[in-house]
Amino acid sequence: MYAFLTTISTWAIPAIIVFIPLYAYMRRVPVYESFVEGAKDGFQTSINIIPTLVGMMVAISVFRASGAMDWLVGLMRPLLDWFGIPSEVMPLAFLRPITGAGSLAFTTDLIKTYGPDSLIGRIASTIQGSTDTTLYVLTVYFGAIGIRKGRYALKVGLFSDIVGFVAAIIICMLIFV
């Protein structure tokens, strides 16, 4: 079964890359022209979201440089210690909804410091895989199509991040402790 799944996963993307243009050609769709038109639209979308991304990056930098993250972690440390949750993973709860690259760098540092088989490394890895960069997604996607009122999407996204964070900790504590 493993060999079968490995073969499928090895050939799936090349097959899709060949199939889609071939199918479009058979349907008499101008493949190259459609690709170029899509690339133009993608380039314009990229230009439109640059101001939003710059604003988000500045806000992240100010949040980290101001010491606000360290203050929040210090504030929560007694509660985390009472539940037996390593406080080292708490900054990941703040970083992950904001930035994928920043949270991945933080997770990498935790794994380098504590090891991949440590409880901290396992919790950080599970959080990294079970939550999303909610603010980044809302900024980029909503900014790209001009949505200005995303408060319900923000609430649901942040709530799902909290649920993913808590579930990752609970599952790792149940399995690995």
Side-chain angles (χ1 to χ4, degrees), residues 5-33:
L5 290 176
T6 301
T7 303
I8 288 176
S9 65
T10 301
W11 286 100
I13 292 178
I16 290 170
I17 290 173
V18 169
F19 173 75
I20 291 174
L22 189 62
Y23 181 76
Y25 178 75
M26 290 187 324
R27 304 267 316 199
R28 306 235 188 267
V29 173
V31 177
Y32 183 74
E33 291 81 4

Side-chain angles (χ1 to χ4, degrees), residues 18-121:
V18 169
F19 173 75
I20 291 174
L22 189 62
Y23 181 76
Y25 178 75
M26 290 187 324
R27 304 267 316 199
R28 306 235 188 267
V29 173
V31 177
Y32 183 74
E33 291 81 4
S34 297
F35 173 78
V36 170
E37 189 63 34
K40 283 181 188 177
D41 291 345
F43 186 71
Q44 186 59 43
T45 299
S46 298
I47 289 172
N48 290 342
I49 64 173
I50 285 175
T52 310
L53 287 173
V54 169
M56 187 185 68
M57 294 301 192
V58 168
I60 292 167
S61 298
V62 168
F63 179 69
R64 293 185 75 189
S66 70
M69 185 179 331
D70 296 333
W71 178 79
L72 282 172
V73 171
L75 191 66
M76 298 180 79
R77 184 165 280 127
L79 181 65
L80 296 171
D81 291 344
W82 190 76
F83 281 110
I85 299 169
S87 61
E88 292 85 358
V89 299
M90 201 60 208
L92 199 54
F94 300 116
L95 283 176
R96 184 66 180 143
I98 300 170
T99 170
S103 64
L104 183 59
F106 188 79
T107 300
T108 303
D109 287 342
L110 287 176
I111 290 172
K112 282 181 184 175
T113 303
Y114 299 100
D117 292 332
S118 68
L119 181 62
I120 292 171

Side-chain angles (χ1 to χ4, degrees), residues 15 68 115 176:
F176 301 117

